[in-house]
Amino acid sequence: MTSTWVEPSNTATALLLLGRGSDPATERGVECPGDLPAPSDPDLVARAAAAKAALGTKVFVLGHHYQRDEVIQFADVTGDSFKLAREAAARPDAEYIVFCGVHFMAESADILTSDRQKVILPDLAAGCSMADMAVLSQVETAWDVLTELGIAADTVPVTYMNSSADIKGFVGRHGGVVCTSSNAKRALDWAFEQGQKVLFLPDQHLGRNTAVLEMGFSLDDCVLYDPHKPNGGLTPEQLRDAKMILWRGHCSVHGRFTLDSVNDVRERVPGVNVLVHPECRHEVVTAADQVGSTEYIIKTIEAAPAGSAWAVGTELNLVRRLALAHPDKQIMFLDRAVCYCSTMNRIDLPHLVWALEELVAGRVVNQITVDPDTAGHARAALDQMLALPGA
């Protein structure tokens, strides 16, 4: 599940940035066997519909809220990462689960589905920058640091759903739990019943916002562990005194929103309601009117009165979809700059058509599998989440 990083050449880096190369150490494969349909093909929608119809109940297509509209139209179910993984597990008769999302989501679906089901990711290059910020070897090194200080036994690891199967497996091996943005407080409440401190992976902002704004901790109770520095850049005293050891990771989309974004939209749109995701920075969350998961954001907008104005701090595909679905409300993106999730947008209609047509031809492509040992421990951490009160 891990790979060795090799310093790329300047030429290779330039080609990668131009979209004309690949990095096998970080990308999980970008080549498609066979011909990928051209994005300009006017028959793509018809081809996708025909392939899906030909597969019938053998295929179940999942679409994350942040996916392109051109892909979402073919999803049997839309939702956040955990909802979609559970939906996959609830469809045991579907031989193929086509997951239109990113790699860690497809891994979770593979963990939660039966061995006879095959989980397919239309583009293997659809990763997650946040999940990639916590590498197993780095987390194991951090745990060694805590062990040497004599505090590992009192520390419970908690990982956000947005993490690799490797990290979920690590958490399961060490008696921890997975959480989502909607149940993070319940997960942390449980963790603090088991131990005196928490190692929170990989999103620092969700961990900090939950601990400080929902659980009454202070910012001083939280320290930031940087895996690229010796001992995480922290002193033994800081690690011993901390209640929340936050991993230095973040969402590249939600992390771009700033306090200036909030202040700017309030000046431009009097009476606007600022609604943001808890992956946003602490100062953004504290300045917002409401904070919640992707599902919470959707439900809040749906229940809002006609004529109300909303500045939403989350991925642009979802914000645009909400604006189109609720023309009686003024819904806008929190930041002036356009901000798609670049890796989520790797799943496009040509890749979906290719994956479906290959299945029609009897060829399974881009199957996502998690090794049994990792899957077993990761499943334990996921099951612990499902056992939380109110889950």
Side-chain angles (χ1 to χ4, degrees):
M1 298 294 292
T2 57
S3 56
T4 302
W5 184 80
V6 178
E7 180 75 31
S9 67
N10 290 336
T11 300
T13 301
L15 288 173
L16 181 62
L17 293 173
L18 290 170
R20 299 172 186 168
S22 64
D23 180 2
T26 56
E27 296 186 9
R28 302 170 196 269
V30 296
E31 298 300 323
C32 298
D35 294 327
L36 191 70
S40 58
D41 185 342
D43 299 324
L44 282 176
V45 171
R47 288 173 63 176
K52 193 164 182 282
L55 291 165
T57 58
K58 293 174 64 176
V59 69
F60 192 64
V61 180
L62 302 172
H64 191 273
H65 287 308
Y66 298 166
Q67 286 289 292
R68 304 164 180 251
D69 287 343
E70 66 186 53
V71 171
I72 283 290
Q73 65 180 314
F74 293 104
D76 294 301
V77 172
T78 59
D80 61 14
S81 57
F82 183 60
K83 175 186 175 182
L84 293 179
R86 293 186 74 172
E87 288 286 348
R91 299 299 193 283
D93 295 333
E95 183 178 350
Y96 307 118
I97 304 294
V98 177
F99 209 123
C100 298
V102 293
H103 198 273
F104 78 79
M105 299 178 189
E107 285 183 329
S108 296
D110 182 61
I111 292 166
L112 292 172
T113 51
S114 67
D115 292 340
R116 63 169 289 276
Q117 293 177 287
K118 297 176 176 61
V119 178
I120 293 147
L121 186 67
D123 187 348
L124 291 180
C128 171
S129 59
M130 180 200 297
D132 290 343
M133 290 177 192
V135 178
L136 180 59
S137 60
Q138 295 174 332
V139 176
E140 289 176 334
T141 297
W143 197 256
D144 289 341
V145 171
L146 301 183
T147 301
E148 291 171 5
L149 291 175
I151 58 177
D154 297 323
T155 303
V156 178
V158 177
T159 189
Y160 191 20
M161 191 73 177
N162 300 28
S163 57
S164 69
D166 279 343
I167 300 304
K168 292 185 180 75
F170 171 90
V171 169
R173 282 194 298 274
H174 292 279
V177 65
V178 177
C179 76
T180 69
S181 55
S182 59
N183 70 9
K185 182 181 183 300
R186 292 198 297 274
L188 288 176
D189 283 338
W190 174 86
F192 279 107
E193 292 173 358
Q194 318 305 312
Q196 298 177 17
K197 56 180 75 232
V198 163
L199 172 63
F200 194 89
L201 305 156
D203 180 27
Q204 58 171 303
H205 300 304
L206 178 62
R208 182 182 296 107
N209 291 330
T210 305
V212 175
L213 300 179
E214 297 190 52
M215 301 180 68
F217 290 125
S218 71
L219 289 174
D220 291 337
D221 291 324
C222 307
V223 295
L224 190 61
Y225 187 98
D226 187 340
H228 302 290
K229 295 181 179 179
N231 297 324
L234 300 167
T235 66
E237 291 74 21
Q238 287 175 312
L239 286 167
R240 290 193 181 99
D241 292 342
K243 293 181 180 178
M244 291 285 293
I245 302 171
L246 306 170
W247 195 259
R248 192 179 184 86
H250 64 275
C251 170
S252 58
V253 171
H254 294 107
R256 72 173 290 121
F257 299 115
T258 65
L259 185 57
D260 287 341
S261 303
V262 178
N263 293 335
D264 176 67
V265 78
R266 290 200 191 280
E267 290 179 6
R268 290 187 288 112
V269 187
V272 69
N273 299 279
V274 177
L275 173 61
V276 302
H277 195 281
E279 290 176 18
C280 292
R281 303 181 193 191
H282 186 68
E283 61 269 23
V284 172
V285 167
T286 54
D289 298 299
Q290 295 192 52
V291 183
S293 66
T294 303
E295 295 289 345
Y296 176 88
I297 289 172
I298 294 170
K299 291 177 181 178
T300 299
I301 294 295
E302 288 175 345
S308 56
W310 296 84
V312 185
T314 192
E315 206 273 343
L316 184 56
N317 273 317
L318 175 59
V319 178
R320 291 182 60 186
R321 195 171 300 125
L322 288 171
L324 290 172
H326 302 280
D328 60 327
K329 303 159 193 175
Q330 187 180 0
I331 300 170
M332 68 207 75
F333 193 59
L334 176 58
D335 193 30
R336 286 179 180 268
V338 173
C339 186
Y340 290 103
C341 176
S342 59
T343 48
M344 192 78 74
N345 268 264
R346 295 297 292 260
I347 307 295
D348 56 13
L349 197 49
H351 280 89
L352 178 59
V353 168
W354 168 74
L356 291 174
E357 289 183 340
E358 288 294 297
L359 291 177
V360 172
R363 295 184 291 269
V364 177
V365 295
N366 290 5
Q367 182 178 354
I368 302 299
T369 57
V370 179
D371 70 86
D373 181 65
T374 299
H377 290 296
R379 180 65 184 258
L382 287 164
D383 285 344
Q384 182 56 64
M385 178 178 71
L386 293 175
L388 294 173

Tab-separated table of all heavy atoms in Angstrom, residues 66 82 87 89 103 144 173 233 347:
chain	number	residue	atom	x	y	z
A	66	TYR	N	-19.471	16.300	-4.876
A	66	TYR	CA	-18.537	17.225	-5.531
A	66	TYR	C	-18.258	16.869	-6.985
A	66	TYR	O	-17.444	17.522	-7.647
A	66	TYR	CB	-17.207	17.262	-4.779
A	66	TYR	CG	-17.291	17.767	-3.351
A	66	TYR	CD1	-16.222	17.585	-2.470
A	66	TYR	CD2	-18.421	18.427	-2.876
A	66	TYR	CE1	-16.291	18.040	-1.156
A	66	TYR	CE2	-18.490	18.881	-1.574
A	66	TYR	CZ	-17.427	18.681	-0.719
A	66	TYR	OH	-17.489	19.122	0.576
A	82	PHE	N	-19.083	8.689	3.269
A	82	PHE	CA	-19.525	7.582	4.102
A	82	PHE	C	-20.912	7.086	3.682
A	82	PHE	O	-21.162	5.878	3.635
A	82	PHE	CB	-19.537	7.983	5.573
A	82	PHE	CG	-19.925	6.839	6.476
A	82	PHE	CD1	-19.169	5.683	6.494
A	82	PHE	CD2	-21.044	6.912	7.273
A	82	PHE	CE1	-19.519	4.611	7.298
A	82	PHE	CE2	-21.405	5.850	8.083
A	82	PHE	CZ	-20.635	4.695	8.105
A	87	GLU	N	-24.125	2.865	1.136
A	87	GLU	CA	-25.063	2.519	0.060
A	87	GLU	C	-24.518	1.353	-0.766
A	87	GLU	O	-25.277	0.489	-1.202
A	87	GLU	CB	-25.307	3.731	-0.834
A	87	GLU	CG	-26.154	4.823	-0.195
A	87	GLU	CD	-27.629	4.459	-0.121
A	87	GLU	OE1	-28.031	3.474	-0.768
A	87	GLU	OE2	-28.378	5.154	0.599
A	89	ALA	N	-22.547	-1.012	0.359
A	89	ALA	CA	-22.692	-2.214	1.178
A	89	ALA	C	-24.135	-2.695	1.238
A	89	ALA	O	-24.392	-3.888	1.446
A	89	ALA	CB	-22.173	-1.944	2.583
A	103	HIS	N	-10.101	8.067	-4.566
A	103	HIS	CA	-9.555	6.758	-4.250
A	103	HIS	C	-9.926	6.261	-2.861
A	103	HIS	O	-10.335	5.105	-2.687
A	103	HIS	CB	-8.031	6.796	-4.420
A	103	HIS	CG	-7.404	5.440	-4.532
A	103	HIS	ND1	-7.010	4.703	-3.439
A	103	HIS	CD2	-7.111	4.680	-5.612
A	103	HIS	CE1	-6.499	3.562	-3.837
A	103	HIS	NE2	-6.545	3.521	-5.154
A	144	ASP	N	5.617	5.981	17.242
A	144	ASP	CA	6.861	5.628	17.938
A	144	ASP	C	7.306	6.757	18.863
A	144	ASP	O	7.791	6.507	19.978
A	144	ASP	CB	7.969	5.317	16.928
A	144	ASP	CG	7.744	4.007	16.183
A	144	ASP	OD1	6.950	3.172	16.679
A	144	ASP	OD2	8.353	3.826	15.116
A	173	ARG	N	-5.958	-1.055	14.255
A	173	ARG	CA	-4.990	-1.862	15.008
A	173	ARG	C	-4.727	-1.295	16.390
A	173	ARG	O	-4.387	-2.039	17.317
A	173	ARG	CB	-3.672	-1.960	14.237
A	173	ARG	CG	-3.687	-2.956	13.089
A	173	ARG	CD	-2.292	-3.264	12.588
A	173	ARG	NE	-1.623	-2.083	12.060
A	173	ARG	CZ	-1.749	-1.647	10.815
A	173	ARG	NH1	-2.553	-2.290	9.974
A	173	ARG	NH2	-1.099	-0.579	10.397
A	233	GLY	N	7.983	18.530	15.251
A	233	GLY	CA	8.218	19.942	15.525
A	233	GLY	C	7.746	20.357	16.910
A	233	GLY	O	7.589	21.561	17.175
A	347	ILE	N	-12.727	12.548	-12.498
A	347	ILE	CA	-13.791	11.670	-13.000
A	347	ILE	C	-14.684	12.499	-13.916
A	347	ILE	O	-15.415	13.377	-13.475
A	347	ILE	CB	-14.639	11.098	-11.849
A	347	ILE	CG1	-13.756	10.420	-10.799
A	347	ILE	CG2	-15.689	10.125	-12.402
A	347	ILE	CD1	-13.034	9.198	-11.283
